[in-house]
């Protein structure tokens, strides 16, 4: 569904992505894990058309996204849940969700109230807080709202930028349970995370990005069993030979 080949992008003189290649098959959940500053956000923003690539190619359903604007990319079914959520704090939960349907064609927008109910059944807390201002929600609830808002755009590929960031550990579990549920319903997911444990727990496959380059790839199991990944991203120490 998504194919990224030799992608290069950056800011001014700063080269961030240095020839990134990866793919996501339909129905898969794929995780890109990496440390702070490795280029994860830049990668998703480039796919979403928020940053212009300098070289390489992004294909969505074999169609090049290279010169398309973000609204067009979204309307093709490629939606981003941004890092830091970016919900509209002075609007209600419902208004934030309805904004997610803004780019849909008129015929699909007519079914927005059914979509809204589906999202409320996925995130019960959003239904309870329907009329509450988004700015008064907790970090975890805002994350759920940002995911819900992206789902209102009826994505086929949902890209998520660090859904665990700034969220309490128990809530991270809830959010990832929902990601698992979305995957079970057939949604294709590309997520980037520093929290390798959470991301590899739900992903089928994964990539490790370091300073703008993919340095490892494999099934989620292979990555979780990899001693380098365990040491650098899963918080496990190497055992000394004499231990
Ligand atoms: P994080 O976990 O902090 O989000 P990341 O892996 O998503 O990390 P990016 O946000 O893609 O990393 O940043 C990659 C590099 O690009 C970093 O060195 C960062 O300082 C730099 N960078 C990010 N955004 C900008 C910007 N708007 N202007 C200049 N440099 C930027």
């Amino acid at each position: 569904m998504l194919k990224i080949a030799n992608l290069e992008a950056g800011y001014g003189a700063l080269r961030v992505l240095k020839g990134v290649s990866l793919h996501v098959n339909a129905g898969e959940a794929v995780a890109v894990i990496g440390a702070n500053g490795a280029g994860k956000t830049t990668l998703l923003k480039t796919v979403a058309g928020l940053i212009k690539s300098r070289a390489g190619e992004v294909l969505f359903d074999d169609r090049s996204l290279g010169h398309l604007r973000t609204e067009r990319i979204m309307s093709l079914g490629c939606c981003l849940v941004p890092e830091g959520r970016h919900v509209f704090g002075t609007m209600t939960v419902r208004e934030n969700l309805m904004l997610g349907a803004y780019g849909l064609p008129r015929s699909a927008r007519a079914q927005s109230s059914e979509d809204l109910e589906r999202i409320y059944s996925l995130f019960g807390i959003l239904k309870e807080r329907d009329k509450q201002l988004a700015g008064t929600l907790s970090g975890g609830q805002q994350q759920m709202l940002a995911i819900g808002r992206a789902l209102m755009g009826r994505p086929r590929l949902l890209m998520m930028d660090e859904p665990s960031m700034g969220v309490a550990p128990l809530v991270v579990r809830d959010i990832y349970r929902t990601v698992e549920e979305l995957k079970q319903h057939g949604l294709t997911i590309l997520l980037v995370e520093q929290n390798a444990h959470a991301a590899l727990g739900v992903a089928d496959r994964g990539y490790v990005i370091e300073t703008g380059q993919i340095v490892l790839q494999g099934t989620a199991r292979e990555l979780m069993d990899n001693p380098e990944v365990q040491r650098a991203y899963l918080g496990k120490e190497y055992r000394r030979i004499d231990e």
Side-chain angles (χ1 to χ4, degrees):
M1 182 178 276
L2 181 75
K3 189 163 183 248
I4 299 174
N6 304 314
L7 193 64
E8 309 230 349
Y11 310 91
L14 183 67
R15 266 180 88 213
V16 176
L17 302 181
K18 301 163 189 155
V20 169
S21 298
L22 62 83
H23 68 276
V24 184
N25 297 317
E28 265 189 328
V30 170
V32 177
I33 59 174
N36 209 338
K40 304 181 298 298
T41 297
T42 305
L43 174 65
L44 293 192
K45 280 188 170 173
T46 310
V47 174
L50 293 164
I51 295 174
K52 251 182 128 37
S53 64
R54 294 174 178 179
E57 197 168 40
V58 180
L59 298 176
F60 182 61
D61 283 340
D62 296 324
R63 173 183 190 149
S64 173
L65 300 185
H67 300 288
L68 300 183
R69 292 155 61 109
T70 301
E71 308 88 274
R72 182 76 190 114
I73 293 172
M74 278 186 64
S75 72
L76 291 173
C78 186
C79 292
L80 173 66
V81 184
E83 180 178 27
R85 285 101 53 180
H86 296 290
V87 297
F88 296 94
T90 55
M91 293 170 76
T92 66
V93 165
R94 176 180 289 250
E95 285 165 347
N96 268 275
L97 288 171
M98 293 311 288
L99 275 180
Y102 186 73
L104 287 175
R106 201 176 290 263
S107 56
R109 247 185 291 159
Q111 287 157 27
S112 292
S113 54
E114 288 157 40
D115 291 347
L116 195 65
E117 282 313 311
R118 252 197 307 277
I119 285 153
Y120 281 156
S121 67
L122 204 58
F123 298 110
I125 191 75
L126 297 184
K127 187 175 179 133
E128 282 172 32
R129 309 265 153 118
D130 180 64
K131 294 189 180 60
Q132 199 168 315
L133 295 184
T136 65
L137 300 179
S138 70
Q141 291 161 359
Q142 289 190 11
Q143 183 62 54
M144 293 174 194
L145 180 55
I147 296 170
R149 183 180 56 191
L151 292 174
M152 286 296 286
R154 299 195 168 187
R156 290 189 301 118
L157 172 69
L158 185 69
M159 300 191 289
M160 307 171 91
D161 193 347
E162 302 211 32
S164 75
M165 193 197 251
V167 174
L170 276 179
V171 184
V172 171
R173 207 186 52 191
D174 287 348
I175 289 170
Y176 270 86
R177 218 178 266 147
T178 313
V179 175
E180 177 70 44
E181 212 174 314
L182 293 170
K183 184 183 135 187
Q184 297 302 337
H185 282 92
L187 187 63
T188 307
I189 296 165
L190 172 62
L191 63 100
V192 307
E193 264 288 4
Q194 281 191 52
N195 185 337
H197 194 78
L200 293 176
V202 75
D204 300 299
R205 288 188 303 111
Y207 297 83
V208 176
I209 186 168
E210 282 178 9
T211 56
Q213 291 176 305
I214 301 293
V215 294
L216 268 177
Q217 58 178 294
T219 63
R221 183 77 263 161
E222 284 164 355
L223 291 180
M224 275 190 277
D225 290 343
N226 181 302
E228 271 300 323
V229 174
Q230 291 184 349
R231 185 187 58 80
Y233 301 102
L234 294 170
K236 295 185 186 169
E237 292 297 323
Y238 278 129
R239 288 176 68 119
R240 283 171 37 181
I241 290 167
D242 56 359
E243 267 182 327

